[in-house]
Amino acid sequence: MASKSFNTATIARLLNHEDEQGMGRVFMYAFLNEVVRQKRPFPFDCESAQVSPNLMIVDSQGRSIAVEHRRNRLSLTLNDQRSETSAFIEYKGEAYRRVLLDWLTTCIRYTSLQPELRKELTRYAQSIQRRIWFTKVLPVH
């Protein structure tokens, strides 16, 4: 993992099944279960999924997940071309923090044999925890 900050490129790298760690499919399944399906059931074929650098995830059945990651916000647009349906999911603030920490925690569980990757994922989780705490406005006494 080359990136030290948790950003769009980091998410794309984690979800890519052709990554150097070989964990992409596992992380993709975790993303679907912890992030997408927490809000809405969505059939998706992780085995055939391709991830673009701008976080457009497309499976061989014509279903896609467009991911937009911004500071303290994660938006997902789910499209199923076969049934011409789409849905929008958004996580902000505390919900953003919780869903990403749940996803990263699940990913960390699968990296016991890869200590460097586990360490990097733990750093990402810690940075998300710190970012939320430092962006809250505290009252001045």
Side-chain angles (χ1 to χ4, degrees):
M1 300 236 140
S3 175
K4 295 296 179 198
S5 65
F6 191 81
N7 55 33
T8 300
T10 303
I11 296 171
R13 190 175 325 106
L14 290 173
L15 294 176
N16 190 345
H17 69 273
E18 296 170 355
D19 67 336
E20 65 270 13
Q21 295 86 17
M23 298 295 294
R25 282 200 174 92
V26 172
F27 294 166
M28 174 76 72
Y29 280 108
F31 184 82
L32 235 57
N33 290 326
E34 299 294 335
V35 180
V36 177
R37 292 180 180 147
Q38 288 297 320
K39 292 279 186 171
R40 175 174 298 276
F42 186 66
F44 196 79
D45 179 20
C46 291
E47 294 298 316
S48 69
Q50 297 295 314
V51 182
S52 71
N54 66 347
L55 277 178
M56 176 62 78
I57 309 165
V58 181
D59 74 5
S60 64
Q61 303 298 312
R63 295 172 290 227
S64 66
I65 303 169
V67 182
E68 181 184 352
H69 179 253
R70 301 245 189 251
R71 183 173 175 84
N72 297 332
R73 189 184 72 167
L74 183 70
S75 304
L76 309 167
T77 303
L78 313 174
N79 286 304
D80 189 345
Q81 292 178 353
R82 297 172 312 151
S83 62
E84 296 181 16
T85 60
S86 64
F88 183 75
I89 299 172
E90 185 168 56
Y91 295 99
K92 291 191 251 183
E94 180 60 24
Y96 162 86
R97 182 178 84 79
R98 178 75 338 216
V99 76
L100 286 182
L101 288 175
D102 287 349
W103 175 51
L104 288 170
T105 300
T106 299
C107 292
I108 289 167
R109 281 190 214 124
Y110 290 106
T111 59
S112 61
L113 298 177
Q114 297 183 0
E116 288 302 312
L117 178 57
R118 184 182 193 93
K119 187 174 167 182
E120 197 68 35
L121 292 172
T122 301
R123 276 194 222 122
Y124 292 144
Q126 290 169 343
S127 77
I128 290 169
Q129 287 176 317
R130 280 193 305 273
R131 187 180 315 152
I132 292 296
W133 292 114
F134 288 133
T135 59
K136 288 184 178 179
V137 178
L138 300 175
V140 178
H141 291 72

